[in-house]
Structure formats: C-alpha cells, structure tokens
Amino acid sequence: MARQEPRKDVVIVGLGWTGSILGMELSQEGLDIVALERGADQDTVPEFKYPDMLDELRYGVRLGLVLKPRNQTLTIRRGPDEVALPFRSFGSFLPGNGVGGAGAHWNGLNWRPQPEELKLRSHVRDNWGEQIIPEGMLLGDYPVSYDELEPFFDRFEHVAGISGQAGNLNGQIIPGGNPFEGRRSRDYPMPALPVTYDARKFAEAAAAMGYHPFKAPSGIASTAYVNPYGMQMGPCTFCGFCERYGCFQYSKSAPQTMILDALRRQPNFSYRTGAEVLRVEKAPDGKTATGVTYWDHAAGEEVFQPADLVILAAYQLFNVHLMLLSGIGQPYDPVTGEGVTGKSYAYQMNGSATLFYRDEVFNPFVGHGSNGMSIDDFGMNQIDFGREGFIGGAYWRSGQTNGQPIRSMPLPRDSAEWGAGWKKAVGDWYGHVMSIGSHGSHMAYRGNHLDLDPTYRDRFGRPLMRMTFNWQENDLRMNQFMRARMAEVVAFMKPDLSQLSFKDLGARYDIRPYQTTHNTGGHIMSENPAEGVVNRYSQVWGMHNVFATGAGNFVQNTQYNPTGLVGGLAYHTADAIRRQYLSNPRPLV
Amino acid sequence: MTDLPGRPSRRGFLKASAAGVAMALLPLSAKAQQAAAPVPLEQYQPVFFTPAEWAFVMAATARLIPSEGDGPGAIETRVPVFIDLQLAGEFGQAADWYMEGPFAPAADPLLGWQTPLTPAEVYRQAIPVFDAWCAQTYNAAFTALDPARQDEALAALEEAAMLAPEIRDFFSILLDNTKEGYFSDPIYGGNHGMQAWVYIGFPGARGAFLEWVERHDVPYPLGPVSISGERA
Ligand SMILES: Cc1cc2nc3c(=O)[nH]c(=O)nc-3n(C[C@H](O)[C@H](O)[C@H](O)COP(=O)(O)OP(=O)(O)OC[C@H]3O[C@@H](n4cnc5c(N)ncnc54)[C@H](O)[C@@H]3O)c2cc1C
Ligand code: SF4
C-alpha cells in the first residue's frame, strides 16, 4: 500500500529547465505546488565550486553530473530487424539528472526556430508541392506559429539570460546579427560575447565568400545581468569547462542561476529530491489524472501524490516513457501508422571540418559552451529543397568550447593512435587546430519511434523504453550538401591540413560517440488527437489536467539546438494555464 | 560507505595514500607546491592488479606512450598507478552502468558496451589470453619482448583476433585509460607533476581567460595549476 501525501494543486515531474519555469510561473498564481525530482539537489555552491568542478576525468569523461544508466536507461535498435540492446554506458546523448536537469550542464547555445520550421509542411507545399516529401517522412506543421510564440521566446531569453545580437528587430535587418532569423520584438538581454581566434578566422572567410557571419547567441553572460525574477549573473571568464559541467561562477544560464533561488523563496512551492515518478494515476473514467505515484528513495517506498494538475517536465525521453507506462495516449504502431505516443522521434544531423595550422596559436582552453561565430546562409529558409533534393538545413558555427586534452585532441587522420608517433602528434598539434560545425535538422519518419522494450527492465521492474532509430537518406543528403559547401570554405581558409567529418549516405546510427542531447518528439503537438499526444498548449488530448513540456512536443526537429523552442513553449504553456485553464479547467482545444 | 562518483574508491584512496601517493585535496589557497615525491613505481603496491598484471600494464603503457622523444611517457607520468586505482574504483566495477542481462557481446560494435564483464574483469580475463598468445607467437611473455616486438604484439592486440567477443575491446579500453591517466588531473594518480599538461601547453584548472579571448594568435604564457594547487 503506497504512502499518501496531502493533495496539492499542482505536481511537477522533474525540476530541470521546464519544471523550474512552470514552478515559478504557476507559483505566482498562489497555487500550492510540489515538484518531484528523481536526482539529488545541486547548486553552484557547493556542488559546482572551484576548483573541484574543473575536473575533466570526473565530469567530462566519467559523466559525473549525468544520469547513471544503472538508474535509468533505454534500449536501442536501428530497425525492426534488429534486437534492441540496452544503452549500458551513455555516449550519443547524456540525459540530465538532479535539480537543474540537463540545464545545469548544457552548452547554452540558445536559438529560436525559423518561422518556416514551425510551418514546414505548408512551406514545402506552397513552394514545391507535397510530391517532394519522401515516402515515410512524417512532415508536419506545428499547431502554433512563430508569431504566436514570439513573446514567449522573448520571455525565455530574458529569464535565461542570453547574450547575442539581434539580426531582425521588428522586421528591420540589423548589421552584425543573423539576417535570416525571425522577427524579434526586442534585442537580446545582453550584448554578444567577444570571440576567439578560430571564430574570427571563420567569420572573415565567410564574409569574404559573401556569407553573413554573426556572433552565436549564448546562454552565457557577457556582462552583469539581473533577470525578471531578480536572479543575477556575472560575466563568463571563458573557463573552458562548460558543457558537462556546472558553472562555478554564476555565468551560465541554468535553472540554478536564473530561477531556483527565487523559486525557493515562494512559500507555496516546495520540492522533493530522490522522488522518482513511476506513473501518472488516472481517474476511473480515464479522462483526468488524479496525481502521480513516485518512489521515495530515502524512505524506500512508493508514495501517491494526489494533485489537480500534473505537469510532465521530465525531459523528452522520460516524459514519453512515463506516458507509455501510464497509458497516456495510444501507443504508436509504425506498421499501421496508428497511435500517437512514441511517434515521430527525431534527433540532429551534424558534421564538421577540422583545420590544422602549424604556425598559428588558438589557445583552445579559452572558450565557453556556445562561443563563436555562426552563419545561417544554409539554414532551412535559404535552401531550395526542390532543387537540392532534400528537406532540411543547418546552421554553422566555429568557436572553441574547451581544450580539455583527454577528449579534445583532434589530430590529422593519418596520425598514429598510440606510441611515439601519437606522442609526437599531440605535442605538434595541440593548440594549432580549429573546427567548423554544421548543426542540421532532422525530420520525423514513420519508422523512427519509441515504445516499451519486450525484454529489458529497470530497477523498479518496469520495461525500459525502446528506441528504434536510424539515419534516413533525406537528412544524410542534407549533410552531404553541407559537406560540399564546407569543403569550399575550408579550401578558402588554406589550412596546412584539413579533414571533413560528415556521415555518408547509408550510415548507420552509432550510439558510442557523443552527438547531441537533442532528442525530440514522441509526444508531439498536433491539431487533432489522431496525430499527436498534446494540443497547441502542450495539454494532453483527452486528459485535460496533464500538460507535458520539453522537446517531446516537437513535430520534427529543427536545425537548431532545442532549448530556445523548449523554453518558449514552456512559457506558452504556463501562460495558457494561467490565463485560460485555472479559471475553468477543461480541454483548451 | 559509498564512494564519490568518479573518485578513486575509498579503499583505493587509503591504500594509495598509505603507499605515499600524494592525492589529498588541498584548498587552492594553500601554498603552491609540487607533489611530494611518490613511491617509486617499482615499489608501488597495486590495489587492483596482481603482480603479473601489474608487470604487463607497466610494459604495455610504456609502449602506448613511450618515454623516448619529446614529452613524458606513461611511466614518468605514472599512468599505471592511475589505471590501477581506476580499476579498483567505480569505473572498474561499471558501478554507473546498466549491467542487466541478457547480454549480446558479439553485437555490432556501434551498439556500444554489450559484454557482461566490467572493465576490471575485461583486464583480468584479457591479459592472460594475450600473454598466452605472446607465448605461442614469440615463445616469450609480453614483458620479456624487446620494444619493437612489443609494438608488433600490441598491434595484433588492437586487431583483437585472439580475443573472444566478451573481451574484444580490451585494447581500446587500455588505450583510453592510458590517455586518461596521461592527461587527467594528478589527483587520480597519473599525469605526475602535470608533465603531460606542460608538454602540450594545457593550463589545467586555471579557469580564467577573459583577457585572452581577443589576444589572437599569441601563445598563452602561464603553466598549469592542478585541482590540489600544484603549479608547474
Ligand atoms: C551535455 C549537454 C549539452 C547541451 N547543450 C545544449 C545547447 O547548447 N543548446 C540547447 O538548446 N540545448 C542543449 N542541451 C539540451 C538542454 O539541456 C535541454 O533541451 C533542456 O535541459 C531540456 O529541458 P527539460 O526541462 O525538458 O529537461 P531537463 O532540463 O533535463 O530536466 C528534466 C528533469 O526531470 C527529471 N526527471 C526525469 N524523469 C523523472 C522522474 N521519473 N521522476 C522525477 N524526476 C524526473 C530529471 O532528473 C531532470 O532533472 C544540452 C544537453 C546536454 C546534456
Ligand atoms: S565557460 Fe563561462 S559560463 Fe561556462 S562554466 Fe566557465 S565561466 Fe561558466
């Protein structure tokens, strides 16, 4: 018999980026709120403090801040012909765990999607016709538009503390910004950060070739800043231990730095750590949730937390897992195409160039997670899909993020991997290398999806989630297009040596090397309950008191890092709950 | 008592400190200092390795990052001590990983770690197999071969034809651990005196470079500091 806690108005599952946002916004309505976080508490002091945080082995290699697969993981297969095997030791993506979630140790690359990306099916139909959509691609429009979300992107950027330079202010193109971005109602809250030598070299070449370089928008403070919740940041020192690390000095945009202290001061908000939600409990008629059941790790027992409103903010992977385990939405069947939960899982299609300059000095340890110069000339809204034969786009960036030598040691491809030759190569090349990355879109497909694994179980005896995912030709063709364009830029930059690393047509998903923690879809937004799990407000179809935040809402992935859109959607949801739902709880669509 | 994730195990820590390896965390404000002279490698008492395994790891890492040429080798940086402590600790036990069956050790390598063995068990099982292969091929143990033959044998180990699927990744684990021991902070027992950082020009845990962002193409002048406050 589970222990039962007193009823709350709201229970939030997961206290990362979106859980913190929903907690803060709903607490302003005077609601009685509890957030349940499976991991431990962690804060700038003492957990992220100097110098202990600057430890590559512990955090960069052994992944000290990341979820431990022993505690929760999933199985992966590349297609229905393969037996899915557990992701035993993380590589390709690194889910967060503990207060702050992945927001505690992300890079801070903060982008808004292009307006066309949110209405991609219409964009394709209007410009080239639906016949260019490849067989098996689930191309959709988001049920919200860029203009509707603009105030919420703006809100997130001002809470999160983003440094950057506007390229499109209310329709006016501003020199030095991204001319291909959607309209902004105001500039970024902080000016853009200065950039390192690699970024400058890239930007100079790009400009000379007629492209439009701009400073990458960063969730990294360029100045002192106070956000709308009264939280303070100080300027980043380019410490070079950013991604996978907590910031030791209040410079990285994270729930810790931007929300949590303010949230802790709200008397009607509380949170419990070591509280791992096992399932959402449904009312007998299945039309609402009654609360959630969680495992209290300290007490070693199940607890039922009744609540009037349930917010699933557990990150894309765990939101979908909880939905599959709780019977929220009909599970998706890739054979019939019916069902919604687990549908349209998507990822990111990236490539890069490495440039070696024997006589130039880059000091690669000077950097932060979103340092550098970008171009969007090959972005989604600049590409003629009909002519190029794919649907997609990418933004490029050059800017060193760290020079940590265990993992960041690019060497010419013909270098020895060990022995005297390797030692000589690391001595010769460390600090004389730069790179350019292409960060590309990834569409949703009929076969790439999430369901429950028939064999493997977690420590609570529940089935692990199973991911069926492989690269698809459309996105690989986009990547090959980027490769060809990037080869031209590299040639222009005249390095002593260079190499390109872009997945070839036919490439299969390799789960070992880190790629991105940009897992999307699985509880996508839709115009109607037949096509997705949630409506335009991220409210579950047919279960009106459950809302789900995060990139699980994405209809297909964009070409950008997801958090700008994730944060915008979270504020959009908070606004809908505050202004429409609380006074009259009901399906909002 | 649980060990801190990613740290040497408590058992390893006590044993290693008893053996004189300087691993205590000092506040950075403590007077800058060099690491106390540690116990010579030949006298080091391994926490995890048997004497035969220790001899193999000493010999193998000495070829993976040799002492000859510019820059320190694995021996001068005490990489074998690092590996010993890692295998005795959470990494060696796969403490963080999902290790429930069924296992498919012969799966496509792209699907990652699929052996039922922990890293420590892979070392324990693979070293005798490789030594038997050396005995058969060269009529001598790996440790008794001359450096050129050792390199040849390691290249064969990299190909892994003599290894069953459960231990097929032994060479790459050994190589990864060797490089980790070379470049990680000295608190883990390797990168002794931060020699590997000095060699390549990595400033360690300095963590403050704002005035260097726009000094382009100018070498950074300062040497490294470590988490425990060593300077070099
Ligand atoms: C290394 C890394 C780098 C990244 N870099 C970028 C970047 O540069 N730009 C970008 O846009 N995005 C980046 N991301 C992604 C970004 O961190 C996420 O988009 C963002 O954190 C998502 O917010 P969220 O609230 O959905 O999830 P999270 O912030 O991860 O929060 C989810 C929380 O829910 C908790 N939880 C999960 N399951 C349960 C359960 N059953 N019960 C209780 N609690 C639970 C988790 O422990 C976690 O704390 C990066 C991610 C990583 C890991
Ligand atoms: S690089 Fe800057 S923002 Fe990132 S962790 Fe270091 S000081 Fe913080």
Side-chain angles (χ1 to χ4, degrees):
Chain A
M1 197 37 206
R3 189 177 95 212
Q4 181 161 337
E5 286 283 335
R7 164 174 296 278
K8 293 279 182 181
D9 295 326
V10 184
V11 63
I12 298 175
V13 181
L15 193 56
W17 255 135
T18 60
S20 304
I21 291 169
L22 269 290
M24 193 66 197
E25 293 291 302
L26 298 184
S27 73
Q28 293 170 358
E29 296 294 326
L31 298 168
D32 193 13
I33 304 171
V34 66
L36 304 174
E37 166 56 50
R38 68 181 168 193
D41 216 342
Q42 49 185 357
D43 212 339
T44 310
V45 181
E47 282 81 11
F48 303 161
K49 74 176 190 301
Y50 182 86
D52 307 62
M53 186 41 57
L54 278 59
D55 183 338
E56 184 184 15
L57 184 77
R58 181 173 182 180
Y59 298 105
V61 179
R62 304 276 186 259
L63 307 174
L65 294 182
V66 170
L67 175 67
K68 297 189 186 332
R70 165 147 299 184
N71 293 343
Q72 192 58 256
T73 187
L74 69 167
T75 66
I76 304 180
R77 58 177 185 168
R78 275 83 52 90
D81 51 321
E82 214 168 53
V83 177
L85 294 173
F87 203 3
R88 298 185 181 278
S89 151
F90 290 145
S92 175
F93 48 88
L94 303 174
N97 188 55
V99 169
H105 51 76
W106 69 320
N107 288 64
L109 288 153
N110 192 83
W111 297 85
R112 298 176 176 197
Q114 294 182 332
E116 295 80 358
E117 295 189 277
L118 299 183
K119 297 290 174 194
L120 196 55
R121 191 173 187 98
S122 302
H123 178 64
V124 168
R125 186 195 55 223
D126 296 349
N127 290 286
W128 302 277
E130 294 205 328
Q131 76 285 351
I132 74 157
I133 301 171
E135 166 65 24
M137 184 188 288
L138 304 178
L139 190 67
D141 285 352
Y142 283 64
V144 282
S145 69
Y146 180 92
D147 284 340
E148 288 169 298
L149 289 177
E150 202 286 330
F152 305 106
F153 294 143
D154 177 79
R155 175 84 177 151
F156 180 64
E157 286 160 2
H158 281 74
V159 168
I162 309 299
S163 302
Q165 194 201 316
N168 178 346
L169 256 188
N170 291 309
Q172 198 196 336
I173 301 301
I174 311 290
N178 178 5
F180 308 117
E181 69 179 3
R183 171 193 66 84
R184 295 173 175 276
S185 51
R186 51 176 171 160
D187 208 338
Y188 288 94
M190 280 177 275
L193 288 131
V195 300
T196 45
Y197 185 43
D198 53 343
R200 191 182 99 197
K201 280 178 80 77
F202 166 67
E204 285 171 1
M209 293 178 76
Y211 302 136
H212 301 83
F214 57 93
K215 288 176 174 167
S218 311
I220 308 280
S222 61
T223 69
Y225 178 65
V226 182
N227 82 356
Y229 300 145
M231 299 286 295
Q232 301 182 27
M233 294 177 107
C236 164
T237 60
F238 288 64
C239 85
F241 288 82
C242 206
E243 183 195 25
R244 305 190 186 189
Y245 301 82
C247 180
F248 64 87
Q249 55 177 11
Y250 305 93
S251 302
K252 177 152 67 174
S253 168
Q256 273 79 2
T257 323
M258 312 315 297
I259 303 178
L260 288 168
D261 283 340
L263 185 51
R264 287 189 192 99
R265 286 195 289 270
Q266 299 287 78
N268 50 334
F269 174 87
S270 63
Y271 65 104
R272 299 178 201 140
T273 55
E276 185 154 0
V277 173
L278 301 175
R279 61 190 171 272
V280 178
E281 303 291 356
K282 299 200 275 191
D285 67 1
K287 294 203 167 108
T288 53
T290 56
V292 301
T293 295
Y294 69 93
W295 183 257
D296 177 339
H297 283 283
E301 63 181 350
E302 277 195 12
V303 182
F304 175 54
Q305 175 62 63
D308 292 340
L309 185 57
V310 175
I311 310 286
L312 295 178
Y315 185 73
Q316 181 268 351
L317 294 168
F318 312 106
N319 271 2
V320 178
H321 193 205
L322 283 170
M323 287 177 174
L324 289 166
L325 291 166
S326 311
I328 296 180
Q330 190 193 329
Y332 171 69
D333 179 345
V335 177
T336 63
E338 279 166 23
V340 287
T341 309
K343 176 182 157 182
S344 292
Y345 173 74
Y347 199 37
Q348 207 86 66
M349 177 58 77
N350 298 343
S352 66
T354 310
L355 294 78
F356 299 85
Y357 294 91
R358 207 167 269 118
D359 301 322
E360 294 181 44
V361 176
F362 292 93
N363 296 327
F365 39 84
V366 180
H368 64 76
S370 33
N371 174 36
M373 297 293 292
S374 282
I375 61 170
D376 226 346
D377 295 87
F378 305 113
M380 206 77 126
N381 64 13
Q382 294 304 302
I383 294 186
D384 184 338
F385 300 153
R387 188 181 70 203
E388 305 301 348
F390 61 81
I391 295 171
Y395 84 86
W396 295 8
R397 183 178 61 93
S398 177
Q400 57 205 30
T401 60
N402 77 85
Q404 299 159 39
I406 302 174
R407 293 170 306 132
S408 300
M409 187 59 75
L411 298 176
R413 208 160 261 162
D414 58 4
S415 305
E417 284 183 38
W418 52 274
W422 177 81
K423 192 173 72 167
K424 180 168 181 339
V426 301
D428 285 349
W429 291 112
Y430 182 80
H432 304 287
V433 189
M434 63 169 280
S435 70
I436 307 168
S438 164
H439 190 279
S441 56
H442 196 292
M443 298 298 129
Y445 298 90
R446 191 165 177 154
N448 286 343
H449 73 287
L450 305 166
D451 62 2
L452 293 176
D453 190 88
T455 307
Y456 293 95
R457 311 229 146 214
D458 70 9
R459 58 187 169 151
F460 306 105
R462 306 174 305 169
L464 294 184
M465 189 162 71
R466 174 171 70 176
M467 174 185 290
T468 304
F469 176 78
N470 208 357
W471 306 119
Q472 304 292 319
E473 185 175 343
N474 172 77
D475 308 307
L476 291 165
R477 289 168 72 98
M478 180 276 292
N479 215 34
Q480 289 300 310
F481 170 90
M482 298 299 161
R483 182 186 206 279
R485 298 288 81 74
M486 201 174 281
E488 297 161 5
V489 174
V490 170
F492 187 90
M493 292 179 70
K494 297 193 174 48
D496 295 318
L497 293 169
S498 67
Q499 54 212 24
L500 294 163
S501 169
F502 285 79
K503 284 177 272 294
D504 290 325
L505 294 182
R508 282 165 79 71
Y509 182 39
D510 182 349
I511 73 165
R512 297 168 300 175
Y514 184 69
Q515 290 155 64
T516 65
T517 311
H518 304 167
N519 313 88
T520 72
H523 61 80
I524 67 170
M525 310 177 95
S526 59
E527 295 283 2
N528 63 67
E531 286 174 23
V533 176
V534 299
N535 65 23
R536 64 199 316 270
Y537 302 108
S538 306
Q539 180 184 39
V540 172
W541 291 113
M543 215 185 234
H544 68 78
N545 67 340
V546 181
F547 290 78
T549 58
N553 288 298
F554 290 14
V555 175
Q556 59 265 325
N557 202 1
T558 73
Q559 65 184 354
Y560 299 113
N561 314 61
T563 309
L565 179 52
V566 165
L569 288 173
Y571 276 103
H572 182 242
T573 296
D575 182 72
I577 295 172
R578 295 178 73 169
R579 297 207 313 181
Q580 300 182 53
Y581 185 80
L582 291 176
S583 57
N584 179 13
R586 67 195 188 286
L588 295 176
V589 178
Chain B
M1 149 134 255
T2 52
D3 295 315
L4 291 171
R7 293 284 160 144
S9 76
R10 186 161 174 81
R11 193 169 75 93
F13 180 87
L14 293 175
K15 196 125 183 236
S17 345
V21 176
M23 288 181 24
L25 286 176
L26 302 175
L28 196 75
S29 55
K31 196 164 162 285
Q33 58 167 40
Q34 288 291 329
V39 63
L41 276 187
E42 313 73 62
Q43 288 162 31
Y44 173 79
Q45 294 292 312
V47 187
F48 170 77
F49 288 125
T50 64
E53 291 166 344
W54 176 250
F56 167 79
V57 168
M58 288 276 284
T61 57
R63 295 317 305 154
L64 294 175
I65 310 181
S67 302
E68 70 229 32
D70 287 343
I75 297 302
E76 299 84 81
T77 48
R78 299 175 67 86
V79 164
V81 173
F82 168 89
I83 299 178
D84 181 53
L85 295 174
Q86 287 294 306
L87 294 181
E90 300 202 339
F91 168 76
Q93 314 311 311
D96 292 350
W97 299 355
Y98 181 84
M99 295 297 281
E100 304 300 318
F103 290 92
D108 181 346
L110 271 54
L111 292 171
W113 193 276
Q114 294 299 343
T115 168
L117 305 179
T118 64
E121 289 165 343
V122 171
Y123 275 80
R124 188 130 287 162
Q125 295 192 16
I127 292 171
V129 173
F130 180 54
D131 255 335
W133 180 87
C134 290
Q136 197 183 30
T137 310
Y138 301 111
N139 240 326
F142 178 79
T143 49
L145 300 175
D146 66 43
R149 278 265 184 273
Q150 285 182 332
D151 287 354
E152 191 184 291
L154 286 170
L157 183 64
E158 193 171 9
E159 294 303 318
M162 79 291 278
L163 301 178
E166 287 77 5
I167 54 176
R168 70 182 179 191
D169 293 332
F170 173 55
F171 180 86
S172 66
I173 303 165
L174 173 66
L175 181 60
D176 284 352
N177 293 160
T178 300
K179 292 178 181 176
E180 288 162 8
Y182 193 62
F183 283 134
S184 58
D185 189 279
I187 47 173
Y188 298 103
N191 191 14
H192 177 60
M194 300 183 286
Q195 293 175 75
W197 289 352
V198 172
Y199 170 50
I200 61 166
F202 175 64
R206 284 197 177 268
F209 304 111
L210 190 51
E211 67 276 27
W212 279 86
V213 178
E214 291 185 307
R215 278 192 216 169
H216 290 169
D217 204 14
V218 181
Y220 180 79
L222 302 180
V225 300
S226 76
I227 290 173
S228 65
E230 292 172 61
R231 277 145 210 269

